[in-house]
Amino acid sequence: MRKYLGYILTALISGTIGIAFIGIRMGYNFIGYTFLGIAAASIFFMLMKMLSKKHEKAARILNRIAVYAIILFAFALTVTIAMIASEADTGDNSGADYAIVLGAGVRGNTPSASLYARMKAALQYANENPETVLILSGGQGRGENVSEARCMYDWLKSRGVSEERLIMEDKSTSTRENLEFSRAIILEREPDFSGKICVVSEGYHLARGKLYARQAGFEKVTGAAGFNGYPVLTGNYYIREAFAMWYYLVFRK
């Protein structure tokens, strides 16, 4: 049994850490799933070691397939996260006609860490670009006493942003709808609009936000990134966003 002790300990430790992360109610699920994946891989390789005693060839083939699959997955995940991270460096994003602030969760009436980061980025952008109109985009979901748009509106207005510069879009339930519904509002105001927009969100979210903006029909797209102040939480979101990006690339939605 000692020969399997390393596998067993790895599975137990990784599984415990994974369950602990999933149990946290702050959105660390994808880090938890990563540790559970490590635990599952450890158990698999232990089983292959056991199998090799009677079926060495089959175990060797399965082992090799698993190793190649893990390497391919890790490579694809790393490349995708690197591409997403590159979009967080927004360069010169000044002078947008409209800044579309993408919503995030509200707990009752309190903004989540993600929403707070986006509101801070929106406030900074509004102060640095006094001619820009802000579209605050996000509906009302489960556990939210107000819409994400209303939460952002009240917060920004209380910090000196003129209500004439704040427009609420409170029907959207996804990033794609954030951009599509916001574009509809802009076209109601300016039917021939062809100006510049700035997508405001967190760094991990900007790559997909810009893709949806272009899909919605915007041609001049830039971004402004906020940070929620929690590096581990942000790491979780980057992992989650990689899967969301793969989904987008396959289904374009």
Side-chain angles (χ1 to χ4, degrees), residues 171-185:
K171 305 299 181 186
S172 56
T173 59
S174 66
T175 303
R176 177 179 60 82
E177 290 182 353
N178 286 153
L179 278 305
E180 290 180 352
F181 295 176
S182 294
R183 180 166 174 79
I185 289 173

Side-chain angles (χ1 to χ4, degrees), residues 121-244:
L123 179 61
Q124 180 178 343
Y125 193 88
N127 290 336
E128 293 174 354
N129 299 271
E131 301 301 319
T132 301
V133 174
L134 280 69
I135 298 180
L136 315 173
S137 181
Q140 183 174 348
R142 182 180 301 176
E144 298 179 337
N145 294 338
V146 295
S147 69
E148 295 160 15
R150 169 57 68 177
C151 184
M152 290 189 282
Y153 180 94
D154 291 341
W155 191 90
L156 289 165
K157 183 181 175 183
S158 70
R159 282 156 181 79
V161 182
S162 170
E163 60 183 278
E164 285 77 19
R165 298 177 61 197
L166 300 174
I167 299 174
M168 287 191 293
E169 182 290 292
D170 58 3
K171 305 299 181 186
S172 56
T173 59
S174 66
T175 303
R176 177 179 60 82
E177 290 182 353
N178 286 153
L179 278 305
E180 290 180 352
F181 295 176
S182 294
R183 180 166 174 79
I185 289 173
I186 291 172
L187 291 179
E188 284 183 7
R189 293 164 56 94
E190 303 180 50
D192 299 321
F193 178 77
S194 60
K196 179 180 179 181
I197 69 157
C198 178
V199 178
V200 181
S201 189
E202 291 165 275
Y204 71 85
H205 198 206
L206 284 183
R208 197 158 50 96
K210 292 177 186 178
L211 287 174
Y212 280 125
R214 294 187 178 96
Q215 183 175 301
F218 294 110
E219 295 180 1
K220 301 173 184 177
V221 180
T222 186
F227 175 55
N228 59 46
Y230 298 95
V232 177
L233 180 61
T234 299
N236 176 85
Y237 287 149
Y238 268 103
I239 297 172
R240 185 188 71 179
E241 195 64 19
F243 287 94

Side-chain angles (χ1 to χ4, degrees), residues 88-122:
D89 182 6
T90 56
D92 181 15
N93 60 8
S94 61
D97 299 283
Y98 292 91
I100 300 175
V101 190
L102 306 184
V106 178
R107 296 184 179 90
N109 295 303
T110 304
S112 62
S114 287
L115 187 58
Y116 186 57
R118 301 175 193 198
M119 292 190 300
K120 287 194 296 181

Side-chain angles (χ1 to χ4, degrees), residues 2 26 35 54 98 109 195 253:
R2 289 183 179 180
M26 291 181 63
F35 278 102
K54 293 184 177 181
Y98 292 91
N109 295 303
K253 64 180 182 178

